[in-house]
Amino acid sequence: MPVALQVARHASEHPRRIAVRAPGGDLSYVGLASRMEAAAGALRGRGIGHGALAALSLADPADLLVAVLAADLAGATPLICDPTWDPVRRERIMEAVPADVHIEIPLVRGRSTAVVSDGVHVEPPLVRERITVVAPDGIRTPPARGPGRHERIVAGEPVSVPVPAASPSDRAWACFSSGSTGRPRAVVRTRASWTGSFPHLSALAGIGPGDVVLVPGPLTSSLYGFAAVHALAVGATVVVPGRWSTVELAAHLDEATAIHVVPHRLPAVLDLLEERRGRLRTAVVGGAALGADARERAARAGIDVLAYYGATELSFVAADTDGQGLRPFPEVEIQVRAAPGQPFGEVWARSPWLAEGYLAGGTGPLRIDGDGWATVGDVAEPYRMGEVLRLRGRGDGAIQTGGATVVPEDVEEVLRKAPGVGDVVVVGSPHPELGSVVTAIIEADGLRRPSRAALEEIARGGLDAAQRPRRWYTVRSLPRTPAGKPARGLLAARLAGGDPDIRRLT
């Protein structure tokens, strides 16, 4: 079922429930449904319907969600673009991914709630509207509920918008993924691969209609975008500040019952919860590098942690529900394919959640074999069915030094324990004799800049000789992907280019 129709159902059953809490104000489900329909009508008026590609570049997360749902309602594919791209970069990127329409201003204006002088929010009058589902070929199709029609409550004036019949193979979502290389590519997902996993995530995370789900990152990230749409599909309240802000996070944690974060953000959430009593009971952590100490802190705070591993192209691959390790996500098969004599191999997955590929013939790390198995080059130890998946990093990030293979994540895990280290990225730097040498770039924790001697002592105590960095640098702030993960490839390129902000640690 299209998410737009799920939102319409929630609007009928719980019209006053808050659907979206964003910087510009709140939207109830009835308000969201009203705006969604008006926006879908605007798209239809531009000839945007089934099979069209709608590029959406909207800074306000509520406006973006309305546009996504409107595209879903109109039968088009929403392509989520980063509104912070400068005009030159945007033009270059979009030339490679031709869209049928570019939306850079909200499709509808204003909120659906009115604010009177005493500050009290008042909903507009409720009216009833009947929608007939219309297939792309013009044949009228009865919806799942009711005798050929779907009745629900909307706000304001009734808006008649034909709803295309949905197919599991429809392209329902597209977004850009740069991975670690910094070269954006548009990944496209079918409706089946996009929304079919919703029930599994709901069951594993325990997220339902009564929850307030905090999504403290840009919706241009597939991780955060998926989280927000999932919350609306199940009828929860989604809080979308649009960016990471510790001040805003503290305020939202007072009401949030669930949160989606990347691993390095969870400690900050736990720090804030130590200072206040909130309602948070579930943390969904996207990424494989969640340390045991963070999970233990969360348990002491009464928070269940669902950690998962995946990729924009693969969606969910494995999940860790209890701290015992990553095991296949529901309906996912896993293989680790290693060359003879090699200690690690590539992770391959086969599941209904795989992306269709890249738009406009784009290329990237996704490879799919003839049997439906796919990989993006991630590396893991040998794996057998029923065992725990032990990831060892991204395949293209491995460092070959003097005949040894060093996995950057192994080194980073040790160095993060050093006093004064906020975060760290390990890359390979060219060397005339060894091929590459291990190089660490440290993001200092505030004013406590670590000394090289202290870092080397930590390295000697926890790393083999080949793993120990030969070169050390510091940077005020690590560049990050939209999902909040360190942009390893971009940082390596900046280092190679002699970026003056990356300073040698002597």
Side-chain angles (χ1 to χ4, degrees):
M1 172 187 279
V3 177
L5 294 189
Q6 291 175 294
V7 168
R9 187 184 75 242
H10 299 318
S12 175
E13 297 171 351
H14 305 283
R16 307 290 187 183
R17 178 182 296 161
I18 298 299
V20 179
R21 182 152 288 159
D26 295 345
L27 274 174
S28 64
Y29 266 97
V30 72
L32 178 61
S34 178
R35 287 167 59 85
M36 172 185 76
E37 286 200 12
L43 287 175
R44 284 278 186 188
R46 301 187 189 189
I48 303 301
H50 187 268
L53 182 64
L56 310 176
S57 182
L58 298 162
D60 184 276
D63 290 335
L64 179 59
L65 287 173
V66 168
V68 166
L69 294 170
D72 193 40
L73 192 61
T77 304
L79 171 61
I80 314 304
C81 303
D82 190 340
T84 65
W85 285 336
D86 64 71
V88 174
R89 188 181 187 208
R90 181 184 303 153
E91 182 178 359
R92 176 172 53 83
I93 291 172
M94 298 312 300
E95 281 179 354
V97 186
D100 296 289
V101 65
H102 292 73
I103 305 297
E104 298 180 2
I105 60 175
L107 289 165
V108 290
R109 295 287 188 179
R111 290 284 187 258
S112 293
T113 53
V115 182
V116 297
S117 58
D118 59 1
V120 177
H121 289 265
V122 179
E123 295 281 357
L126 299 179
V127 296
R128 290 188 179 274
E129 179 197 359
R130 295 180 182 275
I131 293 179
T132 301
V133 178
V134 181
D137 57 6
I139 299 175
R140 294 177 178 270
T141 306
R145 299 176 58 191
R149 292 181 180 273
H150 174 71
E151 184 179 72
R152 60 182 182 72
I153 298 174
V154 299
E157 296 297 321
V159 182
S160 297
V161 178
V163 182
S167 166
S169 61
D170 287 342
R171 290 179 166 184
W173 178 268
C175 66
F176 286 93
S177 171
S178 61
S180 61
T181 65
R183 296 190 302 271
R185 58 187 73 89
V187 180
V188 63
R189 304 274 298 279
T190 64
R191 190 176 307 283
S193 75
W194 176 239
T195 62
S197 64
F198 283 1
H200 293 308
L201 178 61
S202 298
L204 290 173
I207 295 176
D211 280 301
V212 177
V213 183
L214 177 55
V215 182
L219 302 188
T220 51
S221 158
S222 62
L223 182 154
Y224 292 121
F226 181 93
V229 174
H230 168 262
L232 293 175
V234 302
T237 295
V238 59
V239 182
V240 282
R243 60 186 179 88
W244 179 272
S245 166
T246 303
V247 174
E248 293 179 5
L249 180 67
H252 293 314
L253 281 175
D254 289 337
E255 63 171 349
T257 59
I259 188 172
H260 289 258
V261 289
V262 292
H264 82 278
R265 295 296 195 191
L266 183 58
V269 173
L270 298 174
D271 288 344
L272 289 170
L273 287 175
E274 289 179 353
E275 304 170 3
R276 60 192 351 103
R277 176 175 293 181
R279 303 170 57 210
L280 193 68
R281 56 171 176 70
T282 299
V284 183
V285 183
L290 180 65
D293 55 341
R295 185 182 284 272
E296 291 171 0
R297 286 186 62 195
R300 290 195 296 270
I303 300 169
D304 293 327
V305 174
L306 169 64
Y308 68 86
Y309 151 67
T312 302
E313 294 91 342
L314 305 180
S315 189
F316 295 106
V317 175
D320 181 356
T321 60
D322 55 9
Q324 300 302 306
L326 292 166
R327 299 183 184 277
F329 192 82
E331 300 187 58
V332 175
E333 298 175 85
I334 295 175
Q335 292 180 350
V336 174
R337 302 178 184 178
Q342 294 298 312
F344 311 130
E346 283 187 329
V347 179
W348 289 73
R350 184 166 62 180
S351 79
W353 325 131
L354 303 179
E356 181 180 287
Y358 301 109
L359 288 175
T363 59
L366 178 65
R367 287 173 283 142
I368 303 176
D369 69 12
D371 295 321
W373 291 88
T375 185
V376 291
D378 289 347
V379 175
E381 296 179 11
Y383 169 79
R384 293 181 182 178
M385 186 180 299
E387 295 180 347
V388 168
L389 177 66
R390 295 180 174 84
L391 292 166
R392 305 291 283 180
R394 194 66 179 248
D396 55 9
I399 302 168
Q400 303 295 324
T401 177
T405 300
V406 175
V407 178
E409 284 82 354
D410 291 348
V411 182
E412 292 164 355
E413 182 179 0
V414 171
L415 297 181
R416 285 193 184 99
K417 300 174 183 177
V421 174
D423 207 349
V424 59
V425 165
V426 170
V427 299
S429 295
H431 189 277
E433 298 175 4
L434 300 176
S436 295
V437 292
V438 180
T439 301
I441 307 169
I442 306 295
E443 183 182 70
D445 183 9
L447 299 177
R448 297 184 301 162
R449 176 175 167 176
S451 69
R452 175 165 178 164
L455 292 168
E456 288 179 336
E457 183 177 355
I458 293 289
R460 284 193 297 270
L463 299 170
D464 294 332
Q467 294 176 303
R468 298 170 195 162
R470 299 282 193 95
R471 298 172 185 168
W472 301 85
Y473 293 86
T474 61
V475 65
R476 179 171 298 178
S477 178
L478 292 172
R480 298 186 180 277
T481 67
K485 300 175 182 178
R488 190 186 311 279
L490 176 59
L491 194 59
R494 286 175 52 184
L495 180 63
D499 190 328
D501 292 333
I502 303 176
R503 299 182 178 183
R504 190 76 176 259
L505 191 60
T506 58

